[in-house]
């Protein structure tokens, strides 16, 4: 049974038509002991089908340790949205409900290759000297 | 949420995770997540709720700087 309802598939497909650069959605999963792994993998695969600019790579958290280490994944399900490079954009848990929009926005932004931020934000960020790891906690809507 | 990802895109020093709280209860407890969205920066709670772009970034940087001085 699809997660993205048929009536929504068309909407998502046409929204993704504007994608320019290719996007890779890297999904980390496991076959057991992971509540939402299956649904998350299914969701990202359904999204990738709706655009020829998106491809999905699925890795096993236990088996594919080199990739897990490359992306520094410490919990699953995890999804990384990659464009020309890994910009540090991650989803931990299933990006459903309102966060599905965040997933589409991440894909669009990465495809575009530009953050879309105000110049003042860019200037502030350019002054950073140390790494900043942001975690935004959300709940499923 | 997307705003945090925009910061990650813009800066090589920033990474941003959306974390679905009900799937990671230990993390939710660790950071005392009661209302969402709650934004944590380098393990410190920095913003509760949503904020417009300039305030959000300022608030994060302010709280991180304060933490450094402490």
């Amino acid at each position: 049974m699809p997660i993205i309802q048929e009536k929504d598939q068309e909407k998502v497909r046409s929204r993704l038509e504007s994608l320019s650069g290719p996007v890779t959605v890297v999904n980390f999963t496991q076959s057991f002991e992971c509540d939402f792994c299956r649904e998350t993998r299914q969701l990202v695969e359904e999204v990738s089908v709706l655009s020829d600019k998106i491809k999905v790579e699925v890795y096993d958290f236990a088996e594919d340790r080199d990739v897990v280490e490359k992306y520094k994944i410490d919990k699953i399900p995890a999804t990384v949205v990659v464009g020309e490079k890994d910009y540090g954009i991650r989803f931990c848990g299933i990006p459903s409900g309102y966060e599905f929009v965040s997933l589409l926005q991440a894909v669009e932004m990465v495809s575009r290759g530009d953050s879309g931020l105000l110049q003042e934000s860019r200037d502030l960020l350019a002054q950073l000297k140390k790494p900043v790891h942001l975690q935004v906690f959300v709940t499923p809507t | 949420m997307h705003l945090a990802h925009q910061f990650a895109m813009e800066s090589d020093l920033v990474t941003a995770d959306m974390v679905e709280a009900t799937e990671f209860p230990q993390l939710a407890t660790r950071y005392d997540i009661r209302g969402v969205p709650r934004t944590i920066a380098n393990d410190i709670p920095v913003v509760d709720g949503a904020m417009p772009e300039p305030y959000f970034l300022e608030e994060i940087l302010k709280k991180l700087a304060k933490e450094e001085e402490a």
Side-chain angles (χ1 to χ4, degrees):
Chain A
M1 222 193 75
I3 297 177
I4 306 177
Q5 303 296 309
E6 265 191 55
K7 59 179 168 68
D8 296 323
Q9 284 173 26
E10 254 332 287
K11 288 192 211 151
V12 177
R13 188 196 309 272
S14 56
R15 178 168 175 166
L16 295 176
E17 261 161 31
S18 61
L19 292 185
S20 45
V23 177
T24 306
V25 176
V26 184
N27 174 250
F28 293 86
T29 187
Q30 193 163 272
S31 41
F32 62 96
E33 274 180 7
C34 177
D35 281 345
F36 287 89
C37 272
R38 195 188 54 76
E39 285 91 340
T40 303
R41 174 189 176 161
Q42 186 182 336
L43 181 61
V44 302
E45 282 175 342
E46 284 182 18
V47 171
S48 75
V49 159
L50 298 171
S51 166
D52 56 9
K53 294 275 175 10
I54 304 173
K55 73 168 178 174
V56 172
E57 290 176 2
V58 180
Y59 296 101
D60 187 288
F61 188 62
E63 298 292 319
D64 300 313
R65 296 307 298 175
D66 49 348
V67 191
V68 166
E69 273 168 43
K70 173 181 166 187
Y71 288 103
K72 298 191 176 52
I73 301 299
D74 61 2
K75 51 190 174 289
I76 49 169
T79 305
V80 186
V81 180
V82 177
E84 275 180 23
K85 62 177 197 180
D86 175 14
Y87 297 103
I89 295 162
R90 278 149 182 58
F91 292 84
C92 306
I94 186 165
S96 64
Y98 187 73
E99 295 312 320
F100 181 64
V101 175
S102 301
L103 176 63
L104 295 183
Q105 288 174 310
V107 167
E108 287 167 335
M109 177 179 67
V110 161
S111 175
R112 201 171 58 223
D114 182 84
S115 68
L117 290 171
L118 300 168
Q119 191 54 50
E120 356 166 344
S121 301
R122 298 178 200 252
D123 294 341
L124 272 176
L125 287 168
Q127 291 170 37
L128 277 179
K129 302 273 190 298
K130 299 189 190 170
V132 178
H133 176 211
L134 296 174
Q135 293 172 274
V136 182
F137 283 80
V138 299
T139 49
T141 42
Chain B
M1 174 67 243
H2 182 58
L3 196 43
H5 283 152
Q6 285 178 277
F7 297 153
M9 174 109 199
E10 183 66 29
S11 169
D12 285 343
L13 287 171
V14 180
T15 55
D17 308 342
M18 170 211 92
V19 184
E20 208 278 90
T22 60
E23 289 175 59
F24 304 101
Q26 290 140 307
L27 282 183
T29 306
R30 174 176 168 183
Y31 297 116
D32 196 24
I33 308 298
R34 296 179 211 192
V36 290
R38 174 163 244 220
T39 301
I40 310 293
N42 293 349
D43 282 347
I44 313 156
V46 290
V47 177
D48 284 321
M51 256 194 200
E53 185 185 320
Y55 302 114
F56 190 49
L57 184 52
E58 246 181 64
E59 198 55 30
I60 294 171
L61 297 178
K62 205 164 67 177
K63 292 246 170 79
L64 284 177
K66 210 176 354 172
E67 189 65 22
E68 288 231 338
E69 288 164 28

